Coordinates of all heavy atoms in Angstrom, one line a residue:
T18 N 5.0 18.5 -15.5 CA 4.7 18.4 -16.9 C 3.8 19.6 -17.4 O 4.0 20.2 -18.4 CB 4.1 17.1 -17.3 OG1 5.0 16.0 -16.8 CG2 3.9 16.9 -18.8
A19 N 2.8 19.9 -16.6 CA 1.9 21.0 -16.9 C 2.6 22.3 -17.0 O 2.3 23.1 -17.8 CB 0.7 21.0 -15.9
L20 N 3.6 22.5 -16.0 CA 4.4 23.7 -16.1 C 5.2 23.8 -17.3 O 5.4 24.9 -17.9 CB 5.2 23.8 -14.8 CG 4.5 24.1 -13.5 CD1 5.5 24.0 -12.3 CD2 3.9 25.5 -13.6
L21 N 5.8 22.7 -17.7 CA 6.6 22.7 -18.9 C 5.8 22.9 -20.2 O 6.3 23.5 -21.2 CB 7.4 21.3 -19.0 CG 8.5 21.1 -18.0 CD1 9.0 19.7 -18.1 CD2 9.6 22.1 -18.1
L22 N 4.6 22.4 -20.2 CA 3.8 22.5 -21.4 C 2.7 23.6 -21.4 O 1.7 23.6 -22.1 CB 3.1 21.1 -21.7 CG 4.0 20.0 -21.9 CD1 3.2 18.7 -22.1 CD2 5.0 20.2 -23.0
K23 N 2.9 24.5 -20.5 CA 2.0 25.7 -20.3 C 2.0 26.5 -21.6 O 3.1 26.6 -22.2 CB 2.5 26.5 -19.2 CG 1.4 27.4 -18.6 CD 2.0 28.2 -17.4 CE 1.2 28.1 -16.2 NZ 1.7 28.7 -15.0
P24 N 0.9 27.0 -22.1 CA -0.4 27.0 -21.6 C -1.3 25.9 -22.2 O -2.5 25.9 -22.0 CB -0.9 28.4 -22.1 CG -0.2 28.6 -23.4 CD 1.1 27.9 -23.2
A25 N -0.7 25.0 -23.0 CA -1.6 24.0 -23.7 C -2.1 22.9 -22.7 O -3.1 22.3 -23.0 CB -0.8 23.3 -24.8
V26 N -1.4 22.8 -21.6 CA -1.8 21.8 -20.6 C -2.0 22.6 -19.3 O -1.1 23.4 -18.9 CB -0.8 20.6 -20.4 CG1 -1.3 19.7 -19.3 CG2 -0.7 19.9 -21.7
K27 N -3.1 22.4 -18.6 CA -3.3 23.1 -17.3 C -3.8 22.2 -16.2 O -4.7 21.3 -16.4 CB -4.4 24.1 -17.6 CG -4.7 25.0 -16.4 CD -5.7 26.1 -16.8 CE -6.6 26.4 -15.6 NZ -7.9 26.8 -15.8
V28 N -3.1 22.2 -15.1 CA -3.5 21.5 -13.9 C -3.7 22.6 -12.8 O -2.7 23.3 -12.5 CB -2.5 20.5 -13.4 CG1 -2.9 19.8 -12.1 CG2 -2.3 19.4 -14.5
D29 N -4.9 22.7 -12.3 CA -5.2 23.9 -11.4 C -4.5 23.8 -10.1 O -4.1 24.9 -9.6 CB -6.8 23.9 -11.1 CG -7.6 24.4 -12.3 OD1 -7.0 25.1 -13.2 OD2 -8.8 24.2 -12.3
S30 N -4.4 22.7 -9.4 CA -3.8 22.6 -8.1 C -3.2 21.2 -7.9 O -3.3 20.3 -8.7 CB -4.8 22.9 -7.0 OG -5.8 21.8 -7.0
F31 N -2.5 21.1 -6.8 CA -1.9 19.8 -6.4 C -3.0 18.8 -6.1 O -2.8 17.6 -6.4 CB -0.9 19.9 -5.3 CG -0.1 18.6 -5.1 CD1 0.9 18.2 -6.0 CD2 -0.4 17.8 -4.0 CE1 1.6 17.0 -5.8 CE2 0.3 16.6 -3.8 CZ 1.3 16.2 -4.7
I32 N -4.1 19.2 -5.6 CA -5.2 18.3 -5.3 C -5.8 17.8 -6.7 O -6.0 16.6 -6.8 CB -6.4 19.0 -4.5 CG1 -5.8 19.5 -3.2 CG2 -7.6 18.1 -4.4 CD1 -5.4 18.4 -2.3
T33 N -5.9 18.7 -7.7 CA -6.3 18.2 -9.0 C -5.3 17.2 -9.6 O -5.7 16.2 -10.2 CB -6.4 19.4 -9.9 OG1 -7.3 20.4 -9.4 CG2 -6.8 19.0 -11.3
A34 N -4.0 17.5 -9.3 CA -3.0 16.6 -9.8 C -3.1 15.2 -9.1 O -2.9 14.2 -9.7 CB -1.6 17.1 -9.6
L35 N -3.4 15.2 -7.8 CA -3.6 13.9 -7.1 C -4.8 13.2 -7.7 O -4.7 11.9 -7.9 CB -3.8 14.2 -5.6 CG -2.6 14.4 -4.8 CD1 -3.0 14.8 -3.3 CD2 -1.7 13.2 -4.7
I36 N -5.9 13.9 -7.9 CA -7.1 13.2 -8.5 C -6.7 12.7 -9.9 O -7.1 11.6 -10.3 CB -8.3 14.2 -8.6 CG1 -8.7 14.6 -7.1 CG2 -9.4 13.7 -9.4 CD1 -9.7 15.7 -7.1
L37 N -6.0 13.5 -10.7 CA -5.5 13.1 -12.0 C -4.7 11.8 -11.9 O -4.9 10.9 -12.7 CB -4.7 14.2 -12.7 CG -4.1 13.8 -14.0 CD1 -5.2 13.5 -15.1 CD2 -3.2 15.0 -14.5
A38 N -3.8 11.7 -11.0 CA -2.9 10.6 -10.8 C -3.8 9.3 -10.5 O -3.5 8.2 -11.1 CB -1.9 10.8 -9.7
L39 N -4.8 9.5 -9.6 CA -5.7 8.4 -9.3 C -6.5 7.9 -10.5 O -6.6 6.8 -10.8 CB -6.6 8.8 -8.2 CG -6.0 8.8 -6.8 CD1 -6.9 9.4 -5.8 CD2 -5.7 7.3 -6.3
V40 N -7.0 8.9 -11.2 CA -7.9 8.6 -12.4 C -7.0 7.9 -13.5 O -7.4 6.9 -14.1 CB -8.6 9.9 -13.0 CG1 -9.1 9.7 -14.3 CG2 -9.6 10.3 -12.0
L41 N -5.8 8.4 -13.7 CA -4.9 7.8 -14.7 C -4.6 6.4 -14.3 O -4.5 5.5 -15.2 CB -3.6 8.7 -14.9 CG -3.8 9.9 -15.7 CD1 -2.5 10.7 -15.7 CD2 -4.2 9.6 -17.1
S42 N -4.3 6.2 -13.0 CA -4.0 4.8 -12.6 C -5.2 3.9 -12.8 O -5.0 2.7 -13.3 CB -3.5 4.8 -11.2 OG -4.5 5.1 -10.3
L43 N -6.4 4.4 -12.6 CA -7.6 3.5 -12.8 C -7.8 3.3 -14.3 O -8.1 2.2 -14.7 CB -8.8 4.2 -12.2 CG -9.0 4.1 -10.7 CD1 -10.1 5.0 -10.2 CD2 -9.2 2.7 -10.3
L44 N -7.7 4.3 -15.1 CA -7.8 4.2 -16.5 C -6.8 3.2 -17.1 O -7.1 2.4 -18.0 CB -7.8 5.5 -17.2 CG -9.0 6.5 -17.0 CD1 -8.7 7.8 -17.6 CD2 -10.3 5.9 -17.5
N45 N -5.5 3.4 -16.6 CA -4.5 2.5 -17.1 C -4.7 1.0 -16.7 O -4.3 0.1 -17.4 CB -3.1 3.0 -16.7 CG -2.6 4.1 -17.5 OD1 -2.9 4.3 -18.7 ND2 -1.9 5.0 -16.8
A46 N -5.4 0.8 -15.6 CA -5.6 -0.5 -15.1 C -6.9 -1.1 -15.7 O -6.9 -2.3 -16.0 CB -5.8 -0.5 -13.6
L47 N -7.9 -0.3 -16.1 CA -9.2 -0.8 -16.5 C -9.4 -0.7 -18.0 O -9.8 -1.6 -18.7 CB -10.3 -0.2 -15.7 CG -10.3 -0.4 -14.2 CD1 -11.4 0.4 -13.6 CD2 -10.4 -1.9 -13.9
V48 N -9.2 0.5 -18.5 CA -9.5 0.9 -19.9 C -8.4 0.5 -20.9 O -8.6 -0.1 -22.0 CB -9.9 2.3 -20.1 CG1 -10.1 2.7 -21.5 CG2 -11.1 2.7 -19.2
K49 N -7.1 0.8 -20.5 CA -6.0 0.6 -21.4 C -5.9 -0.9 -21.9 O -5.6 -1.1 -23.1 CB -4.7 1.1 -20.8 CG -3.5 1.1 -21.7 CD -2.3 1.7 -21.1 CE -1.2 1.8 -22.0 NZ 0.0 2.4 -21.5
P50 N -6.0 -1.9 -21.0 CA -5.9 -3.2 -21.5 C -6.9 -3.6 -22.5 O -6.6 -4.3 -23.5 CB -6.1 -4.1 -20.2 CG -5.7 -3.2 -19.1 CD -6.1 -1.8 -19.5
V51 N -8.1 -3.1 -22.4 CA -9.2 -3.3 -23.4 C -8.8 -2.7 -24.7 O -8.9 -3.3 -25.8 CB -10.5 -2.8 -22.9 CG1 -11.6 -2.9 -23.9 CG2 -10.9 -3.5 -21.6
L52 N -8.3 -1.4 -24.6 CA -7.9 -0.8 -25.9 C -6.7 -1.5 -26.5 O -6.7 -1.6 -27.8 CB -7.6 0.7 -25.6 CG -8.7 1.6 -25.2 CD1 -8.2 3.0 -24.9 CD2 -9.7 1.7 -26.4
V53 N -5.8 -1.9 -25.7 CA -4.6 -2.6 -26.3 C -5.1 -3.9 -27.0 O -4.6 -4.2 -28.1 CB -3.6 -2.9 -25.2 CG1 -2.5 -3.8 -25.7 CG2 -2.9 -1.6 -24.7
L54 N -6.0 -4.6 -26.3 CA -6.5 -5.9 -26.9 C -7.2 -5.6 -28.2 O -7.0 -6.3 -29.2 CB -7.4 -6.6 -25.9 CG -7.8 -8.0 -26.3 CD1 -6.7 -8.9 -26.4 CD2 -8.8 -8.5 -25.2
L55 N -8.1 -4.6 -28.2 CA -8.9 -4.3 -29.4 C -8.0 -3.8 -30.6 O -8.4 -4.0 -31.7 CB -10.0 -3.3 -29.1 CG -11.1 -3.8 -28.2 CD1 -12.0 -2.6 -27.8 CD2 -11.9 -4.9 -28.8
T56 N -6.9 -3.2 -30.3 CA -6.1 -2.6 -31.3 C -4.8 -3.4 -31.5 O -3.9 -2.9 -32.1 CB -5.7 -1.1 -31.0 OG1 -5.0 -1.1 -29.8 CG2 -7.0 -0.3 -30.9
F57 N -4.8 -4.6 -31.1 CA -3.6 -5.4 -31.2 C -3.0 -5.6 -32.6 O -1.8 -5.4 -32.8 CB -3.8 -6.8 -30.5 CG -2.6 -7.6 -30.4 CD1 -1.6 -7.3 -29.5 CD2 -2.4 -8.8 -31.2 CE1 -0.5 -8.0 -29.3 CE2 -1.2 -9.5 -31.1 CZ -0.3 -9.1 -30.1
P58 N -3.8 -5.8 -33.6 CA -3.3 -5.9 -35.0 C -2.6 -4.6 -35.4 O -1.5 -4.6 -36.0 CB -4.5 -6.2 -35.8 CG -5.5 -6.8 -34.9 CD -5.3 -6.2 -33.6
V59 N -3.2 -3.5 -35.1 CA -2.6 -2.2 -35.5 C -1.3 -2.0 -34.7 O -0.3 -1.5 -35.3 CB -3.6 -1.0 -35.2 CG1 -3.0 0.3 -35.5 CG2 -4.9 -1.2 -36.0
T60 N -1.3 -2.4 -33.5 CA -0.1 -2.2 -32.6 C 1.0 -3.1 -33.2 O 2.2 -2.6 -33.3 CB -0.4 -2.6 -31.2 OG1 -1.5 -1.8 -30.7 CG2 0.8 -2.4 -30.3
I61 N 0.7 -4.2 -33.7 CA 1.7 -5.1 -34.3 C 2.3 -4.5 -35.6 O 3.5 -4.4 -35.8 CB 1.2 -6.5 -34.5 CG1 0.9 -7.2 -33.2 CG2 2.1 -7.4 -35.4 CD1 2.1 -7.5 -32.3
I62 N 1.4 -4.0 -36.4 CA 1.7 -3.5 -37.7 C 2.6 -2.2 -37.5 O 3.6 -2.0 -38.3 CB 0.5 -3.1 -38.5 CG1 -0.2 -4.4 -39.0 CG2 0.9 -2.3 -39.8 CD1 -1.5 -4.2 -39.6
T63 N 2.3 -1.4 -36.5 CA 3.1 -0.2 -36.3 C 4.3 -0.4 -35.3 O 4.9 0.5 -34.9 CB 2.2 0.9 -35.7 OG1 1.7 0.5 -34.4 CG2 1.1 1.3 -36.6
L64 N 4.6 -1.7 -35.0 CA 5.7 -2.0 -34.2 C 5.6 -1.4 -32.8 O 6.6 -1.0 -32.2 CB 7.0 -1.7 -34.8 CG 7.3 -2.3 -36.2 CD1 8.6 -1.8 -36.8 CD2 7.3 -3.8 -36.1
G65 N 4.4 -1.3 -32.3 CA 4.1 -0.8 -30.9 C 3.9 0.7 -30.8 O 3.6 1.2 -29.8
L66 N 4.1 1.4 -31.9 CA 4.0 2.9 -31.9 C 2.6 3.3 -31.6 O 2.3 4.4 -31.1 CB 4.5 3.5 -33.1 CG 6.0 3.4 -33.3 CD1 6.4 4.0 -34.7 CD2 6.8 4.1 -32.2
F67 N 1.6 2.4 -31.9 CA 0.2 2.8 -31.7 C -0.1 2.9 -30.2 O -1.1 3.6 -29.8 CB -0.7 1.8 -32.4 CG -2.2 2.3 -32.4 CD1 -2.5 3.2 -33.4 CD2 -3.1 1.8 -31.6 CE1 -3.8 3.7 -33.4 CE2 -4.4 2.2 -31.6 CZ -4.8 3.2 -32.6
L68 N 0.7 2.3 -29.4 CA 0.6 2.5 -27.9 C 0.6 3.9 -27.5 O 0.0 4.4 -26.5 CB 1.6 1.6 -27.2 CG 1.4 0.1 -27.3 CD1 2.5 -0.6 -26.6 CD2 0.0 -0.3 -26.7
F69 N 1.4 4.7 -28.2 CA 1.5 6.2 -27.9 C 0.1 6.8 -28.2 O -0.3 7.7 -27.4 CB 2.5 6.9 -28.8 CG 3.9 6.6 -28.4 CD1 4.8 5.9 -29.2 CD2 4.4 7.1 -27.2 CE1 6.1 5.7 -28.9 CE2 5.7 6.8 -26.8 CZ 6.6 6.1 -27.6
V70 N -0.6 6.4 -29.2 CA -1.9 6.9 -29.5 C -2.9 6.5 -28.4 O -3.7 7.3 -27.9 CB -2.4 6.4 -30.8 CG1 -3.9 6.7 -31.1 CG2 -1.6 6.9 -32.0
I71 N -2.8 5.3 -27.9 CA -3.6 4.8 -26.8 C -3.4 5.7 -25.5 O -4.3 6.1 -24.8 CB -3.4 3.3 -26.5 CG1 -4.0 2.5 -27.7 CG2 -4.1 2.9 -25.2 CD1 -3.7 1.0 -27.7
N72 N -2.1 5.9 -25.3 CA -1.7 6.8 -24.1 C -2.3 8.2 -24.2 O -2.9 8.7 -23.2 CB -0.2 6.8 -23.9 CG 0.4 5.6 -23.4 OD1 -0.3 4.8 -22.8 ND2 1.7 5.4 -23.6
A73 N -2.3 8.7 -25.4 CA -2.9 10.1 -25.6 C -4.4 10.0 -25.4 O -4.9 11.0 -24.8 CB -2.5 10.6 -27.0
L74 N -5.0 9.0 -25.9 CA -6.5 8.9 -25.7 C -6.8 8.7 -24.2 O -7.8 9.3 -23.8 CB -7.0 7.7 -26.5 CG -6.9 7.8 -28.0 CD1 -7.4 6.5 -28.7 CD2 -7.8 8.9 -28.5
I75 N -6.0 8.0 -23.5 CA -6.2 7.9 -22.0 C -6.1 9.3 -21.4 O -6.9 9.6 -20.5 CB -5.2 6.9 -21.4 CG1 -5.5 5.5 -21.9 CG2 -5.3 6.9 -19.9 CD1 -6.8 4.8 -21.4
I76 N -5.1 10.1 -21.8 CA -4.9 11.4 -21.2 C -6.2 12.3 -21.6 O -6.7 13.0 -20.7 CB -3.6 12.1 -21.8 CG1 -2.4 11.3 -21.3 CG2 -3.5 13.5 -21.4 CD1 -2.1 11.3 -19.8
L77 N -6.6 12.2 -22.8 CA -7.8 13.0 -23.2 C -9.0 12.6 -22.4 O -9.9 13.4 -22.0 CB -8.1 12.9 -24.7 CG -7.0 13.5 -25.6 CD1 -7.3 13.2 -27.1 CD2 -7.1 15.1 -25.4
L78 N -9.2 11.3 -22.2 CA -10.3 10.8 -21.4 C -10.2 11.3 -19.9 O -11.2 11.8 -19.3 CB -10.4 9.3 -21.4 CG -11.5 8.6 -20.6 CD1 -12.9 9.1 -21.1 CD2 -11.4 7.1 -20.8
A79 N -9.0 11.3 -19.4 CA -8.8 11.8 -18.0 C -9.1 13.3 -18.0 O -9.7 13.8 -17.0 CB -7.3 11.6 -17.6
A80 N -8.8 14.1 -19.1 CA -9.1 15.5 -19.1 C -10.6 15.7 -19.1 O -11.1 16.7 -18.5 CB -8.5 16.1 -20.4
K81 N -11.4 14.8 -19.6 CA -12.8 14.9 -19.6 C -13.4 14.6 -18.2 O -14.4 15.2 -17.8 CB -13.5 14.0 -20.6 CG -13.2 14.2 -22.0 CD -14.1 15.3 -22.6 CE -13.8 15.4 -24.1 NZ -14.1 16.7 -24.6
L82 N -12.7 13.7 -17.5 CA -13.2 13.2 -16.2 C -12.7 14.1 -15.0 O -13.4 14.1 -14.0 CB -12.7 11.8 -16.0 CG -13.3 10.7 -16.9 CD1 -12.6 9.4 -16.7 CD2 -14.8 10.6 -16.8
V83 N -11.6 14.7 -15.1 CA -11.0 15.4 -14.0 C -11.2 16.9 -14.2 O -10.6 17.5 -15.0 CB -9.5 15.1 -13.8 CG1 -8.9 15.9 -12.7 CG2 -9.3 13.6 -13.6
P84 N -12.0 17.5 -13.3 CA -12.2 19.0 -13.4 C -10.9 19.7 -12.9 O -10.3 19.3 -12.0 CB -13.3 19.3 -12.4 CG -13.5 18.1 -11.6 CD -12.9 16.9 -12.3
G85 N -10.5 20.7 -13.7 CA -9.3 21.4 -13.3 C -8.1 20.9 -14.1 O -7.0 21.4 -14.0
F86 N -8.3 19.9 -15.0 CA -7.2 19.4 -15.8 C -7.6 19.6 -17.3 O -8.7 19.1 -17.7 CB -6.9 17.9 -15.6 CG -5.9 17.3 -16.5 CD1 -4.6 17.8 -16.6 CD2 -6.3 16.2 -17.3 CE1 -3.7 17.2 -17.5 CE2 -5.4 15.6 -18.1 CZ -4.1 16.1 -18.3
K87 N -6.8 20.3 -18.0 CA -7.2 20.7 -19.4 C -6.0 20.4 -20.3 O -4.9 20.7 -20.0 CB -7.5 22.1 -19.5 CG -7.9 22.7 -20.8 CD -8.2 24.1 -20.8 CE -7.0 25.0 -20.9 NZ -6.2 25.0 -22.1
V88 N -6.3 19.8 -21.5 CA -5.3 19.5 -22.5 C -5.9 20.0 -23.8 O -7.1 19.8 -24.1 CB -5.0 18.0 -22.6 CG1 -4.0 17.8 -23.7 CG2 -4.5 17.5 -21.3
D89 N -5.1 20.8 -24.6 CA -5.6 21.4 -25.8 C -5.6 20.6 -27.1 O -5.4 21.1 -28.2 CB -4.8 22.7 -26.1 CG -5.2 23.9 -25.2 OD1 -6.2 23.8 -24.6 OD2 -4.5 24.9 -25.2
G90 N -5.8 19.3 -27.0 CA -5.9 18.5 -28.2 C -5.0 17.2 -28.1 O -4.3 17.0 -27.2
F91 N -5.2 16.4 -29.2 CA -4.5 15.1 -29.2 C -3.0 15.2 -29.1 O -2.3 14.5 -28.4 CB -4.9 14.4 -30.5 CG -4.2 13.1 -30.7 CD1 -4.6 12.0 -30.1 CD2 -3.1 13.1 -31.6 CE1 -3.9 10.8 -30.2 CE2 -2.4 11.9 -31.7 CZ -2.8 10.8 -31.1
W92 N -2.4 16.1 -29.9 CA -0.9 16.2 -30.0 C -0.3 16.7 -28.6 O 0.7 16.2 -28.2 CB -0.5 17.1 -31.1 CG -0.8 16.5 -32.4 CD1 -1.8 16.9 -33.3 CD2 -0.3 15.3 -33.0 NE1 -1.9 16.1 -34.4 CE2 -1.0 15.1 -34.2 CE3 0.7 14.4 -32.7 CZ2 -0.7 14.0 -35.1 CZ3 1.0 13.4 -33.5 CH2 0.3 13.2 -34.7
W93 N -1.0 17.6 -28.0 CA -0.6 18.0 -26.6 C -0.8 16.9 -25.6 O 0.1 16.7 -24.7 CB -1.3 19.2 -26.2 CG -0.9 20.5 -26.9 CD1 -1.6 21.2 -27.8 CD2 0.4 21.1 -26.7 NE1 -0.8 22.2 -28.3 CE2 0.4 22.2 -27.6 CE3 1.5 20.9 -26.0 CZ2 1.5 23.1 -27.8 CZ3 2.6 21.7 -26.1 CH2 2.6 22.8 -27.0
A94 N -1.8 16.1 -25.8 CA -2.0 14.9 -24.9 C -0.9 13.9 -25.1 O -0.4 13.3 -24.2 CB -3.4 14.3 -25.2
L95 N -0.5 13.7 -26.4 CA 0.6 12.8 -26.7 C 1.9 13.3 -26.1 O 2.6 12.5 -25.5 CB 0.7 12.7 -28.2 CG 1.8 11.7 -28.8 CD1 1.5 10.3 -28.4 CD2 1.9 11.9 -30.3
L96 N 2.2 14.6 -26.3 CA 3.4 15.1 -25.7 C 3.3 15.1 -24.1 O 4.3 14.8 -23.5 CB 3.6 16.6 -26.2 CG 4.9 17.2 -25.8 CD1 6.1 16.5 -26.3 CD2 4.9 18.7 -26.3
F97 N 2.2 15.4 -23.6 CA 2.0 15.3 -22.1 C 2.3 13.9 -21.6 O 3.0 13.7 -20.6 CB 0.6 15.7 -21.7 CG 0.3 15.6 -20.2 CD1 0.6 16.7 -19.4 CD2 -0.2 14.5 -19.7 CE1 0.4 16.6 -18.0 CE2 -0.5 14.4 -18.3 CZ -0.2 15.4 -17.5
S98 N 1.8 12.9 -22.3 CA 2.0 11.5 -22.0 C 3.5 11.1 -22.0 O 4.0 10.5 -21.0 CB 1.3 10.6 -22.9 OG 1.6 9.2 -22.7
I99 N 4.2 11.5 -23.0 CA 5.7 11.2 -23.1 C 6.5 11.9 -22.1 O 7.3 11.3 -21.4 CB 6.2 11.6 -24.6 CG1 5.5 10.7 -25.6 CG2 7.7 11.5 -24.6 CD1 5.7 11.1 -27.0
V100 N 6.2 13.2 -21.9 CA 7.0 14.0 -20.9 C 6.7 13.6 -19.5 O 7.6 13.4 -18.7 CB 6.7 15.5 -21.1 CG1 7.4 16.3 -20.0 CG2 7.2 16.0 -22.5
M101 N 5.4 13.3 -19.2 CA 5.1 12.8 -17.9 C 5.7 11.5 -17.6 O 6.2 11.2 -16.4 CB 3.6 12.8 -17.7 CG 3.2 12.4 -16.3 SD 1.5 12.6 -16.0 CE 1.3 11.6 -14.5
T102 N 5.8 10.6 -18.5 CA 6.4 9.3 -18.3 C 7.9 9.4 -18.0 O 8.4 8.8 -17.1 CB 6.2 8.4 -19.6 OG1 4.8 8.2 -19.8 CG2 6.9 7.1 -19.4
I103 N 8.6 10.3 -18.7 CA 10.0 10.5 -18.5 C 10.2 11.1 -17.1 O 11.0 10.6 -16.3 CB 10.6 11.4 -19.5 CG1 10.6 10.7 -20.9 CG2 12.0 11.9 -19.2 CD1 10.9 11.6 -22.1
I104 N 9.4 12.2 -16.7 CA 9.6 12.8 -15.4 C 9.2 11.8 -14.3 O 9.9 11.8 -13.3 CB 8.7 14.1 -15.4 CG1 9.3 15.2 -16.3 CG2 8.6 14.7 -13.9 CD1 8.5 16.4 -16.5
N105 N 8.1 11.1 -14.5 CA 7.7 10.1 -13.5 C 8.8 9.1 -13.3 O 9.1 8.7 -12.1 CB 6.4 9.4 -14.0 CG 5.6 8.9 -12.9 OD1 5.9 9.1 -11.7 ND2 4.6 8.1 -13.2
S106 N 9.4 8.6 -14.3 CA 10.5 7.6 -14.2 C 11.7 8.2 -13.4 O 12.2 7.5 -12.5 CB 11.0 7.1 -15.5 OG 10.0 6.5 -16.2
I107 N 12.0 9.4 -13.7 CA 13.1 10.1 -13.0 C 12.8 10.2 -11.5 O 13.6 9.9 -10.6 CB 13.5 11.4 -13.6 CG1 14.1 11.2 -15.0 CG2 14.4 12.2 -12.7 CD1 14.2 12.5 -15.8
L108 N 11.6 10.7 -11.2 CA 11.2 10.9 -9.8 C 11.1 9.6 -9.0 O 11.4 9.6 -7.9 CB 9.9 11.7 -9.8 CG 9.9 13.2 -10.2 CD1 8.5 13.8 -10.2 CD2 10.9 14.0 -9.4
I109 N 10.6 8.6 -9.7 CA 10.4 7.3 -9.0 C 11.8 6.8 -8.7 O 12.1 6.2 -7.6 CB 9.7 6.3 -9.9 CG1 8.2 6.6 -9.8 CG2 9.9 4.8 -9.4 CD1 7.5 6.3 -8.5
S110 N 12.8 6.9 -9.6 CA 14.1 6.4 -9.3 C 14.8 7.2 -8.2 O 15.5 6.7 -7.4 CB 15.0 6.4 -10.6 OG 15.2 7.8 -11.0
I111 N 14.5 8.5 -8.1 CA 15.0 9.4 -7.0 C 14.4 9.0 -5.7 O 15.1 8.9 -4.7 CB 14.8 10.9 -7.3 CG1 15.7 11.3 -8.5 CG2 15.1 11.7 -6.1 CD1 15.4 12.7 -9.0
A112 N 13.1 8.7 -5.7 CA 12.3 8.4 -4.5 C 12.6 7.0 -4.0 O 12.3 6.6 -2.9 CB 10.9 8.6 -4.7
G113 N 13.2 6.2 -4.9 CA 13.5 4.8 -4.5 C 12.3 3.9 -4.6 O 12.2 2.9 -3.9
G114 N 11.4 4.2 -5.5 CA 10.2 3.4 -5.6 C 10.3 2.2 -6.5 O 9.3 1.5 -6.7

Side-chain angles (χ1 to χ4, degrees):
T18 305
L20 286 173
L21 291 173
L22 301 179
K23 200 179 230 179
V26 177
K27 183 178 148 208
V28 176
D29 283 344
S30 67
F31 189 72
I32 299 298
T33 302
L35 279 172
I36 295 168
L37 174 63
L39 284 169
V40 167
L41 284 175
S42 68
L43 285 171
L44 290 174
N45 282 328
L47 301 174
V48 176
K49 188 174 182 178
V51 174
L52 289 176
V53 169
L54 187 63
L55 291 174
T56 61
F57 190 69
V59 176
T60 303
I61 293 296
I62 290 170
T63 62
L64 303 174
L66 291 176
F67 194 74
L68 292 174
F69 286 115
V70 173
I71 292 173
N72 286 339
L74 293 174
I75 295 289
I76 296 295
L77 290 172
L78 182 57
K81 297 275 187 210
L82 296 173
V83 177
F86 174 57
K87 179 183 82 69
V88 180
D89 281 350
F91 174 80
W92 295 108
W93 286 108
L95 182 66
L96 187 59
F97 179 86
S98 172
I99 293 168
V100 173
M101 184 171 161
T102 299
I103 293 167
I104 292 172
N105 203 11
S106 297
I107 292 168
L108 291 176
I109 284 288
S110 67
I111 291 171

